[in-house]
Amino acid sequence: MSDPEVVAVAASPLRMLGDAFVPVCVDDACIIPVPSNAGDDSRD
Amino acid sequence: MSTDSLPANPPIKVDIWSDVQCPWCYIGKRKFEAGVERFGGAVDVEYHSFELAPDTPVDYEGSTRDYLSARKGLPAADVDRMLEHVTGIAASVGLDYDFDAVHQTNTVLAHQLLHHAKSKGLQAEMKERLLRAYFVEGAHVGRVADLADLAAEIGLDREDAVRALESGEHLAAVKADVAQAAAYGINGVPFYVIDGRYGISGAQDPAVFAQALDQVAAERADGASVPSGAGA
């Protein structure tokens, strides 16, 4: 009983809204995605 | 007041995944709040846990610059430039980030405290307090005693917070949030799930949030006006 039971509810697919190129943090990197024709992600 | 005369629209549920040490999450919080204000309707916000760096030690020795340089192999000057950029954007939404003072740490206990606060009806207050403590005040948000102090500041019982954190009472809820994020396919934060149907990723402009909320409200109104065939 020492390990907590992890229960995730089945999730319906989400319809995404908004701009795809906005700041977001993934793992420990916080980035501003940029369109592919502008080169690599600019990291922040 | 005059709410008795208004139609009884239930608030729109917004589930937000974020981490206490995510700079875009605090900026996104301000933008989301501005979007909700622009929307003008009732919104029920629930914060969920997302651990960006669960392997970070509680007492990480070093600055944010050290941390990012070490983790990403980036020159300190590049990291400084990035942090200056984020600090500038934070300032544009009224947040005074101080990365020189930030204590990089593990946030799993902070997430447990958020769940504890939720159980007491004070999650929103706890979320704001934790973010401000981390990014603005340079407070430590990884240790039980520091977290309990913050909990007491917003009106939670300090000893009860200590008990909840030391017992791991809410650890399962934290892990469930992380698992739920994975089930949604969420791999970055902040992430907003509106009405369980729409996803918004990142620190979007307030107009995006307002539009999404308007859309959900309009769909509800349409649904309510279309005869269901089931009567009533």
Side-chain angles (χ1 to χ4, degrees):
Chain A
M1 292 297 284
S2 58
D3 284 341
E5 187 179 348
V6 176
V7 179
V9 178
S12 303
L14 298 171
R15 185 175 155 203
M16 295 301 295
L17 301 174
D19 186 349
F21 303 112
V22 294
V24 66
C25 291
V26 180
D27 296 328
D28 54 0
C30 294
I31 60 173
I32 302 176
V34 296
S36 56
N37 62 2
D40 271 350
D41 289 346
S42 93
R43 293 181 173 277
D44 279 285
Chain B
M1 303 275 281
S2 62
T3 51
D4 288 349
S5 60
L6 296 174
N9 288 325
I12 295 174
K13 181 74 188 296
V14 182
D15 295 283
I16 305 175
W17 272 263
S18 81
D19 194 356
V20 173
Q21 60 185 347
C22 159
W24 297 121
C25 293
Y26 201 8
I27 293 167
K29 185 174 187 291
R30 284 292 179 272
K31 293 189 171 197
F32 172 75
E33 288 163 351
V36 169
E37 196 170 322
R38 201 176 292 191
F39 166 61
V43 172
D44 176 19
V45 175
E46 182 175 354
Y47 283 97
H48 297 275
S49 305
F50 193 96
E51 295 177 88
L52 284 166
D55 57 339
T56 303
V58 169
D59 288 309
Y60 176 82
E61 295 289 340
S63 65
T64 300
R65 179 206 290 144
D66 298 333
Y67 179 83
L68 291 174
S69 294
R71 297 279 290 226
K72 297 296 162 193
L74 295 171
D78 287 359
V79 174
D80 283 344
R81 183 180 52 78
M82 291 188 257
L83 295 178
E84 279 174 25
H85 181 58
V86 176
T87 300
I89 294 175
S92 75
V93 295
L95 298 173
D96 187 15
Y97 280 13
D98 183 0
F99 280 107
D100 288 335
V102 161
H103 283 97
Q104 204 82 34
T105 187
N106 189 296
T107 58
V108 71
L109 279 176
H111 284 298
Q112 290 177 61
L113 182 58
L114 282 164
H115 278 279
H116 177 68
K118 181 169 72 175
S119 74
K120 309 294 182 189
L122 288 171
Q123 190 191 38
E125 291 82 354
M126 196 75 256
K127 183 70 176 180
E128 179 65 26
R129 188 67 194 92
L130 284 166
L131 287 166
R132 182 159 61 88
Y134 184 80
F135 284 110
V136 177
E137 299 171 356
H140 202 298
V141 299
R143 299 184 296 227
V144 170
D146 300 275
L147 290 167
D149 287 344
L150 294 172
E153 281 186 31
I154 64 149
L156 290 171
D157 182 272
R158 191 181 187 287
E159 292 313 306
D160 193 36
V162 169
R163 178 202 57 73
L165 294 175
E166 289 184 340
S167 69
E169 180 179 331
H170 300 284
L171 181 58
V174 172
K175 298 306 177 187
D177 275 354
V178 172
Q180 190 66 60
Y184 272 127
I186 297 169
N187 58 15
V189 289
F191 195 98
Y192 308 78
V193 176
I194 300 182
D195 205 31
R197 296 181 289 141
Y198 295 103
I200 295 178
S201 175
Q204 302 270 353
D205 283 338
V208 170
F209 296 114
Q211 261 174 18
L213 293 166
D214 282 338
Q215 183 172 332
V216 169
E219 288 170 357
R220 283 184 175 183
D222 285 348
S225 65
V226 174
S228 66

